[in-house]
């Protein structure tokens, strides 16, 4: 499977198709392997569903105070203008989630064939060096794998398949495209009804997303999936707009979807691990 999936470089269309085929393989191989001996130490109970957490660069990049090579907000004309991936998160139905489930340390070499896609679709939008699970600091990818990826067992069993699956689901459910088709275009002047954004996603994917806002702007949009990657509602039970506007989401009834504004910041050679 790894060899087939490594051919991800070719053309964009081929790549998308290959990724989807790979996703099917990942799921079926994982399912048939459930009965096999578990090689990783598990201390937390198995998760219930996945959330694909997407982040909106137009909102995140407004926070950038200084630049560094790891921050995609600093790419100026090449900065991302679509939702990018924050993480693929195993969650429990009660609203909690497992974290740091095994001692598997992140190894960037294992995902070298995915590197270009990850830089483009799963970039860090910060200069911060997040903590990893076992006392160190690492990249954004290291943080996501160690904190969340290690808990996606037995559906996803290793680091390579964690990132491959994240990309595959992201390609299959193109939130930016759905919102654009519904008329929700990035803008620094317009505000859009939260209910309209939610409905556009529901109509496209037949499941209710979760939106997270910061100061009235969309910061994250989460899509949720059963363990076979069929879409499901993110909020368990009644998933009304009131739930969305309350507590966790912090979104007002009318939200902004800010357009990316080139930062005009100088790169700073720094090893500071402050968040940008
Ligand atoms: P925040 O407090 O900014 O919402 O979340 C901080 C971190 O907690 C996230 O980056 C993520 O690692 C974790 N987190 C927050 N909400 C969820 C969730 O619903 N599911 C999972 N698995 N992790 C979450
Ligand atoms: P989470 O909130 O996922 O648990 O943690 C994210 C960690 O990664 C934080 O320490 C944050 O500073 C760092 N980080 C690096 N790049 C990004 C990014 O693009 N988005 C978010 N949310 N956090 C990032």
């Amino acid at each position: 499977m790894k060899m087939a999936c490594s051919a991800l470089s070719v053309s964009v269309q081929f790549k998308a198709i290959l990724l989807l085929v790979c996703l099917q393989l990942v799921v079926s191989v994982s399912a048939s392997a459930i009965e096999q001996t578990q090689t990783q130490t598990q201390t937390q109970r198995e998760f219930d569903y996945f959330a694909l957490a997407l982040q909106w660069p137009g909102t995140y990049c407004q926070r950038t105070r200084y630049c560094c090579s790891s921050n995609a907000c600093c790419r100026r004309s090449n900065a991302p203008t679509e939702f990018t991936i924050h993480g693929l998160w195993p969650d429990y139905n009660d609203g909690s989630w497992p974290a740091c489930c095994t001692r598997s340390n992140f190894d960037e070499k294992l995902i070298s064939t995915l590197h270009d896609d990850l830089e483009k679709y799963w970039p860090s939008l910060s200069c911060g060096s997040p903590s990893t699970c076992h006392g160190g600091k690492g990249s954004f990818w290291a943080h996501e794998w160690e904190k969340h990826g290690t808990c996606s067992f037995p559906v996803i069993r290793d680091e390579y398949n964690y990132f491959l699956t994240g990309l595959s689901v992201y390609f299959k459910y193109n939130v930016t495209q759905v919102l654009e088709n519904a008329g929700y275009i990035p803008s620094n002047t317009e505000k859009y009804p939260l209910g309209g954004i939610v409905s556009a996603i529901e109509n496209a994917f037949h499941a209710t997303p979760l939106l997270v806002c910061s100061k009235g702007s969309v910061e994250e949009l989460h899509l949720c999936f059963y363990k076979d990657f069929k879409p499901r509602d993110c909020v368990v039970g009644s998933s009304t707009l009131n739930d969305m506007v309350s507590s966790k989401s912090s979104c007002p009834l009318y939200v902004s979807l800010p357009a990316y504004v080139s930062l005009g910041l100088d790169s700073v050679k720094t090893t500071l691990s402050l968040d940008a």
Side-chain angles (χ1 to χ4, degrees):
M1 178 171 57
K2 185 163 178 175
M3 274 178 57
C5 298
S6 322
L8 292 176
S9 39
V10 266
S11 75
V12 175
Q13 289 101 327
F14 262 6
K15 197 164 55 182
I17 292 164
L18 261 179
L19 280 165
L20 289 177
V21 170
C22 290
L23 175 59
Q24 302 295 328
L25 277 171
V26 169
V27 172
S28 62
V29 168
S30 302
S32 67
I34 292 173
E35 302 296 321
Q36 292 173 8
T37 313
Q38 202 168 311
T39 51
Q40 293 172 297
T41 317
Q42 289 246 295
T43 53
Q44 298 177 65
R45 75 183 157 84
E46 195 178 316
F47 69 101
D48 294 319
Y49 70 96
F50 283 110
L52 179 69
L54 304 174
Q55 47 189 10
W56 180 250
T59 300
Y60 264 89
C61 293
Q62 286 175 347
R63 287 193 206 132
T64 308
R65 295 289 169 264
Y66 64 93
C67 268
C68 60
S69 58
S70 63
N71 185 346
C73 294
C74 301
R75 292 179 194 158
R76 293 170 185 260
S77 58
N78 288 322
T81 53
E82 302 187 352
F83 278 97
T84 56
I85 303 172
H86 179 166
L88 181 63
W89 296 346
D91 278 354
Y92 294 127
N93 284 328
D94 66 5
S96 65
W97 59 86
C100 301
C101 291
T102 74
R103 295 206 62 88
S104 167
N105 291 323
F106 177 75
D107 179 355
E108 188 150 353
K109 287 196 294 299
L110 297 176
I111 52 169
S112 56
T113 55
L114 302 176
H115 189 269
D116 291 354
D117 284 316
L118 292 172
E119 283 287 1
K120 191 162 179 200
Y121 305 113
W122 199 329
S124 171
L125 303 178
S126 158
C127 293
S129 293
S131 51
T132 49
C133 285
H134 310 293
K137 295 262 180 200
S139 65
F140 183 42
W141 298 335
H143 174 88
E144 293 302 313
W145 161 248
E146 293 190 14
K147 181 172 182 182
H148 300 285
T150 58
C151 301
S152 52
F153 192 92
V155 178
I156 300 170
R157 297 170 67 92
D158 59 44
E159 181 191 312
Y160 174 80
N161 280 302
Y162 174 69
F163 288 100
L164 176 68
T165 306
L167 285 170
S168 305
V169 178
Y170 171 81
F171 286 133
K172 182 162 180 182
Y173 297 95
N174 188 335
V175 168
T176 313
Q177 188 68 61
V178 167
L179 295 190
E180 190 183 314
N181 291 348
Y184 301 120
I185 313 290
S187 162
N188 290 317
T189 51
E190 289 289 316
K191 282 195 191 304
Y192 298 121
L194 180 66
I197 291 179
V198 170
S199 297
I201 301 291
E202 286 176 335
N203 290 339
F205 304 143
H206 308 293
T208 305
L210 176 83
L211 277 97
V212 180
C213 293
S214 170
K215 297 181 187 153
S217 297
V218 174
E219 179 169 76
E220 301 222 344
L221 191 153
H222 298 183
L223 295 178
C224 296
F225 299 90
Y226 294 105
K227 291 178 184 177
D228 61 2
F229 293 100
K230 296 215 168 70
R232 56 158 269 174
D233 296 344
C234 287
V235 182
V236 183
S238 66
S239 51
T240 62
L241 206 56
N242 281 342
D243 294 333
M244 199 83 74
V245 175
S246 68
S247 63
K248 183 167 180 174
S249 164
S250 66
C251 290
L253 283 170
Y254 284 81
V255 296
S256 312
L257 197 59
Y260 171 80
V261 177
S262 190
L263 296 165
L265 293 172
D266 291 330
S267 294
V268 179
K269 276 191 191 145
T270 176
T271 52
L272 287 175
S273 59
L274 298 168
D275 270 354

